[in-house]
Amino acid sequence: MAPASLANFAPGNIISDAVFFDHRRMSAGQIQSFFQSKVPVCQAGYTCLKDKYDTSRTTTADAMCRAYPGGVRERASTIVYKVAQACGINPQVLIVTLQKEQGLVTHTWPSEWRYTIAMGQGCPDTAACDTRYYGFFNQVYGAAWQMKRYANPPGTSNFFNWYAPRNTWNVLFHPNRACGTSPVSIQNQATANLYYYTPYQPNGAALRAGYGQGDGCSSYGNRNFYNYFTDWFGSTQKPANACSTPAGANAAKRTYVVTAPLNARIAPSTSCETRKMTLAAGTVVQAVAGSGEWLKVHVETSDRWVNRAYLRYATAAESACALPGGVQSAKYAYVVGQPVVARIVPNGGCGAGQAPVATGTILQAIAVNADRTWIKVHAGDSDRWIMRSTVRRATPVETPCAIPGGVGAAIRAYLIKPEGTAGRAAPSAACGMGATRLSGGLIVQAEQVSADRTFIKVSTGRGHLWVARADVTRFDGADACATAPATRVATRAYVVLDGGTTARRQPTTSCSTGAVDLAAGTLLAPAAGTVAGDWLRVTSASGERWVPRVSVRTATQDDVCRQPTDAAAAKRQYVVSASGTTARVGPHPSCTAGSAKVPGGTVAVAVAVTADGSWLKLKLGVGDRWVLRRDVTRAP
C-alpha cells in the first residue's frame, strides 16, 4: 500500500529549492541524535551509522563549496553537518540520500562496502563505481559538491543543461530505454539535481507500491527520496522556520562587494521572504557574522544575510565605501553652510559616488549614523551622506524648500495655463523662498515628478523649478518651435553669464531647431520679453532668438560701453540723417557716458561695424563714437 504522502508526489517539483538548499535544518548534534534514534542498538560485529568514524581531508574553496577543514577520526554525523555547511545543502537531503542509496540510516548490520559507496556517487547504472570516490567522506562531500555543480554556478561551464529547470524534458522510467519516457516539467533546480543524480522517474507501478516493488520498468530512487524525506522530515515544499535566527553563527569581519543583484534576508535562507531587500551589484558590505554559505552584513538600519556566492572580497579602497550599521532615522532639514561633498556612505575616505553640494542648499535629513557625525539627506535622484559639522538646522521658513526625495523621472512636455504659475525650489506650496512667476502659454519640459505626483520639475527660463501639476496641461502639439507667447517691451541690457547660454527660436527648452549658442560675456539688447520676464527676445546673427532669464544678468555701464570684440573694419563715408543722432562710446543705447549729439547732415568716415550691422563707429570731432546704422546713410 502506498504511503499517503505519495498522493502529493509531483514529478516536476519533488523538492523545493528553499528546502533543498537550507543548510540550517539540523546541527551536528541533531544529526547524531537522529542516527541514534533510527538504530538504537547495532548488531554485534558491525558498525552502524551512529558509530561510524572516518578521516576527512581538507579541501579548498571553489565555485561549488567553501573550504572543508579536514580532521582525523570524525563522526559520520559531523562529516554530514560540515559538508552541508560548506556546500550549502540541507543536511536532511544528504541523510535521505544515504538511506535511499545504501540504506545506511536504518541498517543494523551494514557491511563496509556500503560505506565505500555510501551515496552512490561515481556509480553509474551502466559501469563500475569510480574508485576516486570510495570512502564515506569522499562519498558525502563528492555528492554534495556534484549537486551544487549541476546548477552551473559562476566560474563553471554550462555543461548541465539537459534537465535545466523551468523546461519540459522527456525523463526515462528505467535504465532499460525500452520502458520509455514521459514529459516532465521540471520546475526548480533542486528537482533538476535529483534527476541529474538519479535520471529516472517512478512509473505508476512504483508509485502504487509505496516503498515496495513495482514492475519490470519501475525505478525507485526519486520515489524513495520523496518517501523518506516526507516520512522523516515533513513536507519537501514548506521550509521549517525559514526566518529563524541560526544558532552558532561565527564572527566575521571582512568587507565584500556584491557581484550581481541579490536579495538580502533577515535569515540565511532563500525561503525567508519576510522583509527581504535587494542589493545592487557593486554594493560594498561589511560582514559581521557567518553561517555556512551565508554572511550577515550591515545594511544601514538593520543587518541582513546574503549568500557568499554573490560576493567577492573588497579592495582597501572599496572597503571605505561599505554600508554602515546602526543607522537611526532623522527628521530635521538642514542648510549647507559651506561647499561640501555628499558621499554614498558616512566615510570621508570613500571616493565613489561623490556629489558636490553648494552653499545654501536646503537638505532634508532622513537618517543619522551611529556616532551622529554624519546625516543622510535627499540629494536629487539618490540619497547621500554629508558631515553634520558642515550644516545648520533649517528655519521653519527654509524647511519646506528642502530638496525632496522619492522623485521619479518625467519626460513629457507641458503647457503652462494662460494665467501662469509659480515656480518653486521644492514641490511644496509652502516653499516661498526663491519662488518666481512663470509666464502662461509657455511650453515646459518635465524632468521629474514628486513622490505624490502633484508637482513636476520643469526646465524654464528661470531655471529648473517645481510647478503644481494642476497649473499645466499636456502639450500635444507637433512643433514646440511654433508656439508664439504673449510679450511685453524690454528696455534693459543684459550680459550672458559664465558658461554661456543657448538662444532658441521660441521661449522653451523643448525647441532645439535653429538653436544658437551664445558665449559668456555676450552683450544682449532684448526688444521684448515674456509676460513674467522669464525669457528675453534678442537679435542674433541668425535672427531673433529667445534666451532664458536665468542665464543672463543686468548689464552695467562698463558692460554696455565696452568695445565689441567681433566688430569688423569699415571705411565708407556716411551722412547723418536730418534729425541728427547720438554718438556713444559703446554700441548700445544704454551707454550714456561720454555721449554727444551729432547734427543732421554731418559727414564722417566709418572705421568699424558691429557683427549684426546695427551700429557704425564714425570718426567725429569728439573722437571715434558709435551711432545707430539706421540714423545714417551712405554719402554720395
Side-chain angles (χ1 to χ4, degrees):
M1 183 176 179
S5 61
L6 276 175
N8 297 317
F9 179 83
N13 185 13
I14 300 173
I15 185 171
S16 70
D17 290 346
V19 174
F20 193 96
F21 297 107
D22 187 359
H23 67 277
R24 304 175 307 135
R25 283 295 186 97
M26 300 177 77
S27 66
Q30 289 172 326
I31 296 171
Q32 179 63 27
S33 296
F34 182 81
F35 289 165
Q36 291 173 341
S37 70
K38 294 302 176 185
V39 181
V41 179
C42 190
Q43 189 169 322
Y46 293 90
T47 301
C48 293
L49 192 58
K50 66 183 179 68
D51 301 315
K52 176 65 178 176
Y53 289 84
D54 195 18
T55 296
S56 61
R57 57 188 170 84
T58 297
T59 67
T60 57
D62 59 19
M64 276 58 70
C65 300
R66 295 170 54 211
Y68 183 102
V72 177
R73 192 170 164 75
E74 285 191 324
R75 262 186 162 166
S77 56
T78 300
I79 290 173
V80 169
Y81 173 77
K82 288 174 63 177
V83 167
Q85 304 311 300
C87 299
I89 300 288
N90 184 346
Q92 296 166 345
V93 170
L94 302 180
I95 292 170
V96 169
T97 305
L98 285 169
Q99 178 66 14
K100 68 107 171 173
E101 290 291 336
Q102 297 298 332
L104 278 170
V105 178
T106 59
H107 213 297
T108 59
W109 48 277
S111 301
E112 188 58 32
W113 65 265
R114 292 184 184 270
Y115 291 110
T116 301
I117 55 171
M119 301 281 279
Q121 173 63 8
C123 294
D125 294 309
T126 56
C129 293
D130 190 333
T131 57
R132 292 178 300 171
Y133 296 99
Y134 279 8
F136 184 79
F137 169 77
N138 289 338
Q139 282 286 298
V140 176
Y141 180 84
W145 186 96
Q146 189 65 53
M147 288 174 183
K148 292 298 289 292
R149 178 63 183 88
Y150 291 143
N152 302 314
T156 65
S157 68
N158 192 37
F159 179 78
F160 293 96
N161 53 33
W162 58 94
Y163 288 140
R166 293 168 292 280
N167 291 281
T168 299
W169 306 93
N170 287 322
V171 179
L172 291 165
F173 287 108
H174 193 273
N176 181 358
R177 292 183 174 272
C179 291
T181 66
S182 74
V184 176
S185 177
I186 297 177
Q187 298 178 25
N188 53 61
Q189 187 62 54
T191 299
N193 288 357
L194 294 182
Y195 281 118
Y196 283 127
Y197 202 84
T198 307
Y200 312 109
Q201 60 172 311
N203 64 4
L207 293 174
R208 288 190 294 272
Y211 282 106
Q213 298 290 313
D215 57 24
C217 284
S218 292
S219 61
Y220 310 103
N222 286 318
R223 181 204 71 176
N224 287 350
F225 180 96
Y226 181 84
N227 282 347
Y228 284 122
F229 196 101
T230 53
D231 283 352
W232 289 351
F233 304 117
S235 173
T236 61
Q237 304 301 315
K238 296 179 180 178
N241 301 320
C243 292
S244 62
T245 303
N250 301 314
K253 59 182 181 180
R254 294 291 295 267
T255 308
Y256 298 82
V257 178
V258 177
T259 58
L262 82 160
N263 288 323
R265 306 171 187 272
I266 63 172
S269 171
T270 56
S271 55
C272 178
E273 298 290 323
T274 303
R275 301 199 308 278
K276 71 178 180 182
M277 60 187 296
T278 300
L279 298 181
T283 304
V284 186
V285 290
Q286 175 64 56
V288 294
S291 177
E293 63 180 351
W294 291 78
L295 285 171
K296 191 176 188 180
V297 300
H298 287 321
V299 286
E300 295 197 354
T301 56
S302 61
D303 293 341
R304 289 289 192 277
W305 290 88
V306 293
N307 195 293
R308 293 175 187 261
Y310 300 94
L311 306 174
R312 66 168 173 81
Y313 289 132
T315 64
E318 290 169 330
S319 295
C321 296
L323 293 177
V327 173
Q328 298 179 5
S329 62
K331 63 180 180 179
Y332 295 115
Y334 294 84
V335 180
V336 176
Q338 63 190 66
V340 298
V341 174
R343 303 177 186 274
I344 59 174
V345 295
N347 186 340
C350 175
Q354 299 182 51
V357 182
T359 301
T361 304
I362 305 172
L363 301 168
Q364 177 60 55
I366 55 175
V368 60
N369 72 330
D371 64 7
R372 309 187 73 80
T373 57
W374 292 74
I375 55 173
K376 191 175 187 180
V377 297
H378 291 318
D381 58 352
S382 61
D383 296 333
R384 290 288 189 274
W385 290 87
I386 62 172
M387 292 190 69
R388 199 166 185 174
S389 60
T390 63
V391 298
R392 65 168 174 81
R393 278 275 295 277
T395 66
V397 173
E398 293 168 327
T399 295
C401 295
I403 294 176
V407 298
I411 59 173
R412 293 192 175 114
Y414 292 83
L415 189 67
I416 299 177
K417 291 182 178 179
E419 59 271 24
T421 187
R424 304 177 186 276
S428 169
C431 175
M433 296 181 60
T436 185
R437 292 300 298 174
L438 301 177
S439 299
L442 294 191
I443 301 166
V444 289
Q445 178 61 53
E447 299 172 342
Q448 293 178 328
V449 60
S450 61
D452 62 4
R453 309 189 71 80
T454 59
F455 278 80
I456 53 173
K457 190 176 186 180
V458 296
S459 177
T460 76
R462 296 287 187 182
H464 302 277
L465 298 169
W466 291 91
V467 299
R469 202 165 185 176
D471 293 342
V472 298
T473 58
R474 284 273 297 276
F475 175 71
D476 296 319
D479 186 5
C481 296
T483 302
T487 62
R488 62 181 176 88
V489 175
T491 57
R492 290 178 178 170
Y494 296 88
V495 177
V496 177
L497 295 172
D498 292 346
T501 188
T502 300
R504 304 176 185 273
R505 281 176 49 194
Q506 291 296 342
T508 172
T509 56
S510 295
C511 175
S512 298
T513 304
V516 178
D517 290 331
L518 300 179
T522 302
L523 183 65
L524 302 176
T530 52
V531 174
D534 39 357
W535 288 83
L536 300 168
R537 190 175 70 198
V538 300
T539 301
S540 73
S542 302
E544 288 191 339
R545 292 292 186 271
W546 291 85
V547 296
R549 179 64 179 82
V550 73
S551 66
V552 299
R553 63 172 173 81
T554 302
T556 64
Q557 274 288 302
D558 287 341
D559 293 323
V560 298
C561 292
R562 71 170 183 250
Q563 300 304 300
T565 58
D566 57 353
K571 59 183 180 180
R572 292 193 173 104
Q573 268 191 339
Y574 291 85
V575 179
V576 177
S577 61
S579 59
T581 188
T582 300
R584 304 175 187 277
V585 175
H588 196 278
S590 299
C591 179
T592 58
S595 62
K597 290 292 184 179
V598 181
T602 302
V603 179
V605 175
V607 295
V609 59
T610 56
D612 62 4
S614 62
W615 290 80
L616 286 170
K617 194 173 190 180
L618 303 179
K619 280 188 172 296
L620 300 168
V622 294
D624 293 351
R625 293 290 191 272
W626 291 91
V627 299
L628 282 167
R629 177 68 177 79
R630 67 172 183 261
D631 291 344
V632 299
T633 58
R634 287 271 294 276

